[in-house]
Amino acid sequence: MKSRFLTAGILSAALGLFAQAAAAQTEFLNVSYDPTRELYQQVNAAFTKQWEANGGRKLQINASHGGSGSQARSVIDGLEADVVTLALEYDVDAIAQKGLINKDWVKRLPDNSSPYTSTIVFLVRKGNPKAIKDWGDLVKPGVAIITPNPKTSGGARWNYLAAWGYALKQPGGNEQKAKDFVAALFKNVPVLDSGARGSTTTFVQRGLGDVLLSWENEAYLAIKELGPDKFEIVTPPLSILAEPSVAVVDKVVDKKKTRDIADAYLKFLYAPEGQEIAAKNYYRPRDAKVAEKYKDNFKKIELLTIDGDFGGWTAAQKKHFDDGGVFDQIYVAK
Amino acid sequence: MPAEFDSFTSGNVETRRRRLLTEPPVVRTTLLTLGIGFLVLFIGLPLVTVFTEALRKGWDAYLSALHEPAAFAAIELTLTVAAISVPLNMVFGVIAAWCITKFEFRGKSFLITLIDLPFSVSPVISGLVFVLMFGLQGWFGHWLSDNNIKIIFATPGIVLATIFVTFPFVARELIPLMQQQGTEEEEAAVILGANGWQTFWRVTLPNIKWALLYGVLLCNARAMGEFGAVSVVSGHIRGKTNTMPLHTEILYNEYNFVAAFAVASLLALLALVTLVAKSILEWKLKQAHALHAKSIANAES
Amino acid sequence: MTFSLFKSNPGSRRSVIPGFGITLGLTITWLSLIVLIPLAGLFLKSATLSFDQIVAILTSPRTLSALRVSFGISLGAAAINAVFGVIVAWILVRYDFPFKRVADAFVDIPFALPTAVAGIALTSLYAPNGWIGSLLEPLGIKVAFTPLGILVALVFIGLPFVVRTVQPVIEDMDKELEEAATALGATRRQIIWRVILPVIFPSIATGFALAFARAVGEYGSVIFIAGNLPLVSEIAPLLIVIRLNEFAYAQATTIAAAMLVISFVLLFIINLLQRWSARYAR
């Protein structure tokens, strides 16, 4: 008897919750990848303030974070994102292919629709006991490397391509040597987490590995949050220009009538205020002035580009990361 | 003298007999050490870890970690999902158990196997099937999107996945008991003129109420704690579609370990409360059982 | 939790109890809506591939290895649980020790503790800098981020199944049987092998199979502690998730369907085992 009343009570409470959820606020969803949590927490707060100060509708910005590929899949499967801010062009392309985003999205915003960039650096333990200075040091015997799985993590694909590019650029470098190099590198990997955050936790919190291949911003954040006295960053002389992509999800904003917010939101990322927030979170800003201000944070190094050195994301994805691609081959060969 | 001698030998026989009925002390100690050590190692320590990690920075950090809108939202969502899925599975479990134990029909064991199926399906698959149905690329995806009905990446999807995962729990608990109890009492009630509903309410329910509650408890614990299936259909929107287990993972990924383990500790507390409630129920169940057996014995004599 | 589900109901006379049609109808409707139709969708999706493609997916080294890891380690975990589960059940029924009731209740923790929480807690414990991991490290034993870690997680989640199926059988076991055997001059060892084990064996087998079935599909607790290395410590459910994230839906569903078929067969075997044990007990 009692349990019946209890059930009724719980049910009515649940119904009350639903009613409550339907408040009069415009909900706005940014679906992003793993290491951008702190960045977008600040961006969302700043943008909401600016938007509402300019007489915009009352805004509730929600954020969803996860591996870039799995986030893209969620959007494809119907997660109603107004904007996506993912780790790489390929993942946004995958959404565009399903017709949710216009095919020309890369050209709609400046700099390949990539308001901030980053690169891949090495996070090592304090004092750099294994003396890791460059990519070549990674394949030495006894060096344990932590990186996420390129199959599931956008960041890890940048890691992999940077290593590949390094091997190609060596004297006498060719495809076969590059393949051997990444194969040797992944032989030194004891754990493949599915996302960048998982790898950082493994390296920092679990104490596994000698070096973490990481986004530059993620490495800085890890040091800031988890121990400046325990780790240091090694920036290799050559790395890759990582361009995280942003796009308005056309199908969704048309349906939700939020295109004005979405456009303003992405523009905000390019504006000085947004650029400043990005730089503070250790993303390399595009804006020259902001870049100048924060230039001490970002070492100038030679950067490979995905379009210049790898023939664009579609080609790189097909060759390296698709089923049966080079990455699968180096694992099967073992 | 002879009497004393007698009692002496019989005492000796008694100890010999008792010794033979149990293991030698060495074996006993070994088994106890192994068994308890195993429990401590595999169950005690992980549980302790959750609480020590949560309290690593003291009570204040612990409480403030929980006193946070996103944590509240996660708790709210988890309670909502459980409040919908558990009663539904409870009603279904009773119906299914009634159907299976009170009647004889063909294909019964096949039906039971089907009811049991979600139990051995990987949670990932449990979530995936709903994405395949209701996702934008799925069968009903476009229709749902056109009519602005959200299932996946919203509460209904999480509820569906949870119902799927906890599907067998109540029925699984009731079927063996109801089978054991047989159908005589219900038959008697019907012959005496009770209708189906009265029979269930007055005869069957009192007999199964403790087992039913027990099933509901386990169902609830699983519903609140499900991770894999819910993770596939949730969309991970902070403060909106994160249940407590998902929120734990997110906090963990934000390097907010104290908060992650704080939310986890709530779930662990829930598990402990469930177990205490379960122990009480089990005791009641045994009592009811004994009473039932006694009343049957009385009726027969 | 008792798992003796499939006891056959003796006698099949017509029932006078009303409600057969409606309860069966409701059962099948609800079952279809929640379980059968969604699962059918899974098979339909993988049926968009040709037979050759399906074979190619299932026999690729990655898939085979993932299935081998999942089923192999689950088998190992279930075996460990079968041994220690029986010991735990035995001491809980036959011996007295302090905090026995607490220990008894703790057996159910893996049922009630969310798998993700279990995964994180186990990883903290067994990582090289964790309480247990740091003890094992000097011995050269690595648990977290190796297949051994998967084994630990699967032992954790499978433990209650063996204990809870064996425990009631030991409780019900007639001590008279043992007494009679003793009176006939049997030694304790003979009694254990000839009297006790045969009685509890079917329930051990059932518990083993249940723990195994549960372990095969486990995801939440494993991904934290496994190294997730392809061909080494990548479990089948993780491979499904990876394939999904590569937008390879048909591949994902094919592996899922294969696992589903195997699970169904397993459950059917459990079903048979339980009938057998019910008959044996009589």
Side-chain angles (χ1 to χ4, degrees):
Chain A
M1 274 307 150
K2 231 183 237 160
S3 75
R4 207 166 46 144
F5 285 120
L6 203 70
T7 322
I10 294 171
L11 271 180
S12 54
L15 287 174
L17 283 179
F18 279 129
Q20 201 184 18
Q25 244 177 358
T26 306
E27 302 242 357
F28 184 83
L29 177 60
N30 174 5
V31 169
S32 193
Y33 61 112
D34 248 336
T36 57
R37 295 162 199 271
E38 293 73 17
L39 168 69
Y40 281 108
Q41 250 170 35
Q42 293 166 29
V43 166
N44 291 349
F47 175 73
T48 310
K49 218 166 127 195
Q50 196 203 59
W51 173 262
E52 287 177 4
N54 289 344
R57 284 164 281 170
K58 219 168 153 33
L59 209 54
Q60 161 74 42
I61 303 184
N62 297 313
S64 166
H65 296 272
S68 190
S70 89
Q71 291 294 82
R73 184 184 57 76
S74 294
V75 174
I76 289 172
D77 277 328
L79 181 60
E80 295 201 328
D82 299 86
V83 295
V84 289
T85 52
L86 296 176
L88 33 92
E89 212 181 295
Y90 180 79
D91 288 329
V92 184
D93 267 338
I95 304 172
Q97 261 164 28
K98 297 286 176 182
L100 293 167
I101 298 175
N102 283 348
K103 289 251 155 79
D104 66 344
W105 67 271
V106 185
K107 301 275 167 271
R108 290 196 299 203
L109 288 164
D111 302 316
N112 289 330
S113 282
S114 165
Y116 42 79
T117 66
S118 192
T119 187
I120 300 301
V121 299
F122 308 149
L123 190 68
V124 297
R125 307 209 178 269
K126 196 78 190 174
N128 199 357
K130 295 271 164 110
I132 294 158
K133 296 272 180 254
D134 201 355
W135 292 94
D137 299 325
L138 297 176
V139 295
K140 284 183 185 155
V143 174
I145 306 164
I146 306 294
T147 168
N149 188 345
K151 290 277 194 174
T152 47
S153 154
R157 275 177 233 179
W158 293 111
N159 294 347
Y160 170 103
L161 289 177
W164 179 275
Y166 162 83
L168 270 187
K169 292 262 172 171
Q170 294 314 295
N174 58 31
E175 289 272 309
Q176 187 54 45
K177 282 197 174 146
K179 192 169 166 181
D180 293 343
F181 180 77
V182 289
L185 192 154
F186 275 92
K187 269 214 177 76
N188 281 350
V189 175
V191 183
L192 274 184
D193 286 288
S194 60
R197 272 298 153 94
S199 284
T200 314
T201 314
T202 302
F203 181 76
V204 171
Q205 201 70 6
R206 308 273 163 253
L208 229 74
D210 303 306
V211 53
L212 172 74
L213 305 189
S214 162
W215 295 96
E216 187 177 42
N217 53 285
E218 180 78 356
Y220 273 112
L221 184 77
I223 286 189
K224 193 176 113 195
E225 297 262 324
L226 301 163
D229 48 334
K230 291 189 212 134
F231 307 98
E232 57 188 75
I233 291 175
V234 173
T235 313
L238 172 105
S239 193
I240 193 163
L241 178 72
E243 296 184 299
S245 303
V246 303
V248 172
V249 184
D250 297 280
K251 269 270 168 64
V252 175
V253 295
D254 287 345
K255 190 176 136 193
K256 285 174 65 183
K257 313 234 178 322
T258 48
R259 186 178 284 279
D260 53 338
I261 309 173
D263 282 338
Y265 185 82
L266 294 189
K267 279 218 182 77
F268 181 81
L269 296 175
Y270 286 91
E273 196 184 349
Q275 291 281 295
E276 184 106 21
I277 296 175
K280 271 187 202 149
N281 284 284
Y282 310 107
Y283 290 84
R284 298 187 171 212
R286 295 280 194 186
D287 187 288
K289 261 192 208 147
V290 180
E292 181 60 27
K293 188 174 163 194
Y294 288 90
K295 68 169 193 274
D296 293 344
N297 279 355
F298 306 110
K299 258 193 199 152
K300 268 215 146 79
I301 53 170
E302 191 188 347
L303 293 173
L304 304 164
T305 65
I306 188 77
D307 292 328
D309 297 279
F310 297 93
W313 262 114
T314 313
Q317 173 75 26
K318 191 160 183 263
K319 177 168 165 190
H320 294 284
F321 308 118
D322 271 3
D323 201 22
V326 177
F327 182 75
D328 279 348
Q329 292 166 27
I330 63 175
Y331 261 99
V332 175
K334 237 199 298 198
Chain B
M1 270 303 225
E4 226 181 286
F5 182 69
D6 223 337
S7 81
F8 178 74
T9 43
S10 84
N12 212 2
V13 166
E14 183 55 31
T15 38
R16 196 186 99 85
R17 209 176 69 99
R18 204 176 290 149
R19 206 175 61 232
L20 278 173
L21 273 180
T22 182
E23 291 71 41
V26 187
V27 179
R28 242 179 117 99
T29 321
T30 318
L31 286 182
L32 272 172
T33 320
L34 278 177
I36 295 172
F38 186 76
L39 282 180
V40 167
L41 188 67
F42 277 92
I43 293 175
L45 278 181
L47 201 63
V48 171
T49 309
V50 172
F51 288 100
T52 50
E53 292 284 334
L55 294 171
R56 179 166 287 233
K57 291 191 181 144
W59 276 101
D60 292 339
Y62 178 82
L63 290 177
S64 70
L66 293 177
H67 198 83
E68 205 235 330
F72 273 144
I75 295 171
E76 224 175 71
L77 178 64
T78 300
L79 292 178
T80 311
V81 168
I84 300 171
S85 51
V86 173
L88 280 173
N89 270 341
M90 178 177 86
V91 171
F92 164 77
V94 172
I95 292 174
W98 176 276
C99 167
I100 282 165
T101 56
K102 302 297 175 196
F103 309 101
E104 284 301 325
F105 56 94
R106 266 164 169 248
K108 191 196 249 186
S109 63
F110 186 68
L111 182 66
I112 299 178
T113 308
L114 285 180
I115 290 177
D116 252 9
L117 195 54
F119 166 78
S120 72
V121 170
S122 175
V124 173
I125 301 178
S126 321
L128 172 62
V129 292
F130 291 107
V131 173
L132 288 179
M133 276 181 80
F134 302 117
L136 196 55
Q137 315 299 321
W139 298 349
F140 308 113
H142 279 283
W143 184 84
L144 289 171
S145 161
D146 291 345
N147 290 283
N148 219 357
I149 302 172
K150 276 197 207 166
I151 293 187
I152 296 296
F153 308 122
T155 310
I158 300 174
V159 169
L160 274 176
T162 306
I163 294 180
F164 184 101
V165 169
T166 56
F167 195 84
F169 278 69
V170 175
R172 180 185 273 279
E173 217 34 65
L174 289 181
I175 291 171
L177 179 74
M178 286 168 74
Q179 235 157 26
Q180 221 172 357
Q181 289 179 344
T183 54
E184 287 91 356
E185 290 183 45
E186 282 83 2
E187 277 161 15
V190 170
I191 288 164
L192 290 174
N195 66 26
W197 182 246
Q198 287 168 327
T199 310
F200 170 74
W201 201 247
R202 304 260 175 81
V203 179
T204 311
L205 192 61
N207 279 338
I208 61 166
K209 64 183 175 199
W210 297 118
L212 178 61
L213 254 180
Y214 180 29
V216 166
L217 265 177
L218 285 172
C219 182
N220 184 53
R222 186 72 204 275
M224 291 193 175
E226 177 52 29
F227 173 75
V230 171
S231 149
V232 178
V233 296
S234 134
H236 305 278
I237 308 171
R238 198 189 172 98
K240 303 225 62 149
T241 61
N242 278 329
T243 60
M244 284 164 76
L246 295 178
H247 191 60
T248 305
E249 193 210 11
I250 284 201
L251 289 170
Y252 188 75
N253 276 339
E254 285 171 358
Y255 308 132
N256 201 343
F257 302 112
V258 167
F261 278 104
V263 177
S265 74
L266 286 187
L267 288 163
L269 271 181
L270 170 82
L272 287 174
V273 170
T274 305
L275 293 186
V276 171
K278 196 199 123 213
S279 299
I280 297 171
L281 282 180
E282 239 165 21
W283 181 70
K284 289 254 185 198
L285 203 65
K286 259 185 198 152
Q287 273 197 327
H289 220 81
L291 217 70
H292 187 251
K294 213 168 144 193
S295 72
I296 285 182
N298 284 344
E300 272 169 5
S301 66
Chain C
M1 207 172 190
T2 48
F3 289 96
S4 44
L5 277 190
F6 307 124
K7 281 180 194 155
S8 63
N9 219 356
S12 57
R13 58 218 146 75
R14 267 199 102 63
S15 180
V16 294
I17 302 169
F20 176 63
I22 185 159
T23 53
L24 184 68
L26 280 172
T27 303
I28 290 176
T29 311
W30 184 239
L31 184 72
S32 305
L33 280 178
I34 297 290
V35 179
L36 299 184
I37 295 175
L39 286 182
L42 190 75
F43 284 96
L44 278 182
K45 186 83 188 180
S46 39
T48 55
L49 296 174
S50 74
F51 182 73
D52 289 347
Q53 280 171 313
I54 290 175
V55 171
I57 290 169
L58 291 180
T59 56
S60 85
R62 230 9 223 297
T63 316
L64 281 180
S65 144
L67 290 173
R68 204 181 306 126
V69 169
S70 271
F71 283 90
I73 297 182
S74 299
L75 209 61
I80 291 176
N81 275 328
V83 174
F84 282 92
V86 171
I87 294 177
V88 170
W90 184 261
I91 64 172
L92 284 178
V93 177
R94 287 293 174 95
Y95 299 164
D96 274 319
F97 54 93
F99 301 111
K100 183 169 151 178
R101 287 197 65 92
V102 179
D104 194 2
F106 265 37
V107 169
D108 278 336
I109 286 275
F111 272 144
L113 197 69
T115 52
V117 174
I120 294 175
L122 286 172
T123 314
S124 318
L125 271 177
Y126 285 92
N129 57 7
W131 289 347
I132 301 180
S134 59
L135 295 179
L136 296 175
E137 177 96 283
L139 309 174
I141 304 170
K142 283 187 187 139
V143 178
F145 314 116
T146 67
L148 213 54
I150 305 179
L151 185 73
V152 168
L154 295 183
V155 167
F156 174 82
I157 58 150
L159 174 68
F161 293 98
V162 177
V163 179
R164 292 301 183 230
T165 39
V166 175
Q167 202 176 5
V169 180
I170 299 180
E171 265 166 13
D172 285 352
M173 206 159 50
D174 244 335
K175 272 216 165 168
E176 279 166 27
L177 221 63
E178 288 169 60
E179 279 170 22
T182 314
L184 290 172
T187 65
R188 190 63 196 162
R189 180 173 300 180
Q190 283 172 326
I191 292 172
I192 289 173
W193 283 105
R194 302 270 176 80
V195 181
I196 297 174
L197 266 183
V199 175
I200 62 172
F201 183 74
S203 65
I204 299 177
T206 311
F208 174 85
L210 282 166
F212 180 60
R214 175 80 170 79
V216 164
E218 179 54 21
Y219 176 74
S221 61
V222 175
I223 50 160
F224 289 99
I225 199 170
N228 301 331
L229 289 178
L231 305 176
V232 179
S233 49
E234 185 176 70
I235 53 167
L238 176 67
L239 186 60
I240 295 175
V241 172
I242 289 179
R243 291 296 184 228
L244 273 181
N245 291 345
E246 291 173 354
F247 316 116
Y249 284 72
Q251 283 217 25
T253 51
T254 303
I255 302 169
M259 285 190 74
L260 202 65
V261 170
I262 300 172
S263 310
F264 188 80
V265 171
L266 274 176
L267 270 181
F268 217 78
I269 294 171
I270 297 172
N271 190 338
L272 292 179
L273 275 174
Q274 271 173 331
R275 275 170 179 243
W276 175 49
S277 76
R279 204 175 309 148
Y280 208 99
R282 216 171 283 152

